[in-house]
Amino acid sequence: MRVFQNACLVTVNSDFDVIENGTIATEGTKITYVGPHRDFPGAETVDCSGKMIMPGFVNGHIHMPMTFFRGYSDDMNLQDWLNNRIFPLEAKHTADTQYHGALLAAAELTRTGTTTVNDMYLDGEQVARALKEAGLSGTVSTCVMSVFPDVEDRFRSALELAERYKNDPDIRTAIAPHAEYTCSPKDLRYWGEMAVATGQPIHIHCSETRTEHEECIERHGMTPVELFESLGMMEAKMLLAHCVWITERDMDIIKAHNASVLHNPCSNLKLASGMAPVPRMLEKGIGVSLSTDGAASNNTLDLWEAMRFTALIEKANYLDPLVMNARTSLYIATRGSALALGYDDRGSLEEGLRADFIVVDLDTPAMAIPTNMINLIVYSGNSRDIVMTVAGGEIVYDHGEYRKLDIERVCRQARDDFENIFRDR
Ligand SMILES: [Zn+2]
């Protein structure tokens, strides 16, 4: 048993309790006590005086191996960026480069307080390896597009991945067709059936840009959400990334099928894709998971930053400072995000849940005056003040030290790959 003493606890439980001078006890991967100060004689104790503890972040949409492309092709629009810069570069990826890129992402996630992710990339196996090595957890997937010449092999390996991790305590899998504009209706229908048959969610990009949304209507006479429903894909749990341009009717379909939206405010801002109507989605009772997207389009994997952005942009989007408050932003970054992805065992500080949390220094200029801890977290806090990350009951980051990863090796490997494989010459 390990006990974290003398901390301010921001629980994000159903009452949003904030407990001054609280205690958290963990055993194995679980939280066994959360509440006012209590002594546990004989337990290993971590003194958290002057610190705050909150749930680890849950990142709903990420492409971990894209860390190589950070800063490589900025200030472009999505289709130009994807077709002329990112897709040709991604064709150079090997299993090793994906693994190394995902390790670099895992280090950043650990450092910035994310403990669970939902990833989509070319080879989900490499992301799963990196997550496990870093002590993190999440859902991984091997992305498929009908335009790949070897798409059948890739889909077969996606099914093998699911089989391999079927009983893993830390890794889940999803079926991941890339998007409507890269997949044929025939393939989408088949992959949807396979998702249902194997009990996996579907993770897909959806209505990210106006062009994509309108071209789908031209091609099929339907929006992407309507098309997915017509193909039977909504029978599986759908995790829809972006949904910037979805209609009221799309939202009703999403709600009716208990699908979830993966919201990427920073990526949507950077690629000028637009602003997703998140307050309207929440009003309709749709599950929303806050996300960063890949490092090439954000360019950080810092969900704390996304949490601040999501509150700010919706206020400007709706010209209403009340439309998205700090509490909602914190919720969709933690507990709400976990539930939207289908994880009911994490995302808040509660007994019986997975011990995924972060310890944050309050002896900093931005956090020193404890006026309202939730407002401070969202509007003035920063992931740089995280001093410890606990994932599945294990301390994976502690005052600048990565406990699971050799950070010098991780950075060196990634730089070597960049020099040998990806750098433009
Ligand atoms: Zn994406």
Side-chain angles (χ1 to χ4, degrees), residues 241-295:
H242 299 292
C243 294
V244 173
W245 291 93
I246 58 171
T247 63
E248 280 286 315
R249 182 172 142 70
D250 288 340
M251 286 187 237
D252 292 336
I253 293 171
I254 289 170
K255 173 64 186 161
H257 292 279
N258 191 32
S260 298
V261 171
L262 318 175
H263 172 45
N264 302 264
C266 300
S267 167
N268 295 155
L269 284 172
K270 181 155 179 282
L271 289 162
S273 301
M275 299 183 202
V278 170
R280 185 72 182 131
M281 296 173 193
L282 294 171
E283 212 171 81
K284 285 179 174 278
I286 294 170
V288 175
S289 168
L290 193 63
S291 318
T292 58
D293 212 349

Side-chain angles (χ1 to χ4, degrees), residues 98-383:
Q98 292 183 66
Y99 169 56
H100 296 158
L103 276 177
L104 188 62
E108 184 175 355
L109 294 166
T110 301
R111 172 70 188 83
T112 54
T114 291
T115 46
T116 298
V117 297
N118 179 40
D119 187 275
M120 172 198 287
Y121 211 61
L122 299 168
D123 181 357
E125 171 67 26
Q126 306 312 324
V127 174
R129 279 174 74 198
L131 285 173
K132 285 187 86 73
E133 194 168 325
L136 307 179
S137 63
T139 304
V140 302
S141 54
T142 291
C143 182
V144 277
M145 304 186 203
S146 303
V147 294
F148 286 146
D150 58 346
V151 62
E152 282 174 26
D153 292 343
R154 286 185 195 239
F155 189 69
R156 202 170 310 118
S157 76
L159 293 179
E160 286 163 10
L161 180 76
E163 193 56 31
R164 210 156 43 244
Y165 286 94
K166 199 166 61 181
N167 299 314
D168 192 283
D170 304 313
I171 302 294
R172 296 186 189 180
T173 56
I175 299 291
H178 173 260
E180 174 275 327
Y181 57 92
T182 47
C183 299
S184 70
K186 180 170 155 280
D187 284 344
L188 288 173
R189 181 190 296 279
Y190 173 62
W191 295 331
E193 287 166 3
M194 293 307 286
V196 174
T198 55
Q200 296 178 78
I202 295 173
H203 182 185
I204 191 167
H205 294 93
C206 175
S207 295
E208 177 174 359
T209 63
R210 183 159 61 188
T211 308
E212 168 204 338
H213 186 81
E214 288 175 353
E215 284 180 356
C216 178
I217 296 171
E218 273 171 42
R219 264 193 293 273
H220 304 289
M222 286 181 262
T223 67
V225 167
E226 289 168 350
L227 178 73
F228 299 154
E229 187 194 35
S230 77
L231 296 171
M233 296 170 76
M234 294 267 175
E235 300 310 310
K237 168 85 176 173
M238 283 206 92
L239 308 175
L240 302 161
H242 299 292
C243 294
V244 173
W245 291 93
I246 58 171
T247 63
E248 280 286 315
R249 182 172 142 70
D250 288 340
M251 286 187 237
D252 292 336
I253 293 171
I254 289 170
K255 173 64 186 161
H257 292 279
N258 191 32
S260 298
V261 171
L262 318 175
H263 172 45
N264 302 264
C266 300
S267 167
N268 295 155
L269 284 172
K270 181 155 179 282
L271 289 162
S273 301
M275 299 183 202
V278 170
R280 185 72 182 131
M281 296 173 193
L282 294 171
E283 212 171 81
K284 285 179 174 278
I286 294 170
V288 175
S289 168
L290 193 63
S291 318
T292 58
D293 212 349
S297 65
N298 185 310
N299 292 356
T300 79
L301 304 177
D302 183 344
L303 210 73
W304 196 319
E305 185 184 74
M307 176 170 68
R308 179 162 186 262
F309 267 100
T310 193
L312 299 182
I313 66 172
E314 294 299 353
K315 292 173 195 293
N317 193 17
Y318 285 75
L319 299 177
D320 177 3
L322 312 183
V323 78
M324 186 92 169
N325 62 23
R327 197 185 260 228
T328 305
S329 300
L330 176 58
Y331 182 73
I332 66 169
T334 54
R335 181 63 172 165
S337 188
L339 292 174
L341 297 176
Y343 286 97
D344 58 5
D345 66 340
R346 65 193 68 184
S348 55
L349 303 180
E350 293 179 75
E351 286 161 25
L353 294 197
R354 192 176 160 95
D356 284 354
F357 52 83
I358 55 180
V359 183
V360 180
D361 192 5
L362 296 179
D363 284 332
T364 65
M367 303 290 279
I369 310 293
T371 44
N372 177 312
M373 196 49 71
I374 291 167
N375 292 349
L376 285 176
I377 290 171
V378 174
Y379 295 122
S380 13
N382 191 295
S383 66

Side-chain angles (χ1 to χ4, degrees), residues 6-82:
N6 312 315
C8 169
L9 307 180
V10 177
T11 62
V12 198
N13 65 14
S14 52
D15 295 325
F16 262 81
D17 287 325
V18 175
I19 302 167
E20 302 291 338
N21 192 23
T23 297
I24 296 183
T26 67
E27 243 179 294
T29 60
K30 298 258 190 289
I31 296 173
T32 51
Y33 174 81
V34 179
H37 182 89
R38 189 164 135 189
D39 285 319
F40 290 86
E44 179 193 338
T45 299
V46 180
D47 179 22
C48 297
S49 304
K51 311 280 193 296
M52 176 269 290
I53 300 182
M54 59 181 276
F57 294 112
V58 178
N59 191 337
H61 178 70
I62 183 170
H63 312 287
M64 286 172 62
M66 288 187 86
T67 42
F68 288 111
F69 314 140
R70 194 198 310 265
Y72 168 81
S73 56
D74 295 328
D75 309 324
M76 298 176 80
N77 76 53
L78 176 76
Q79 295 307 332
D80 189 20
W81 175 82
L82 260 184

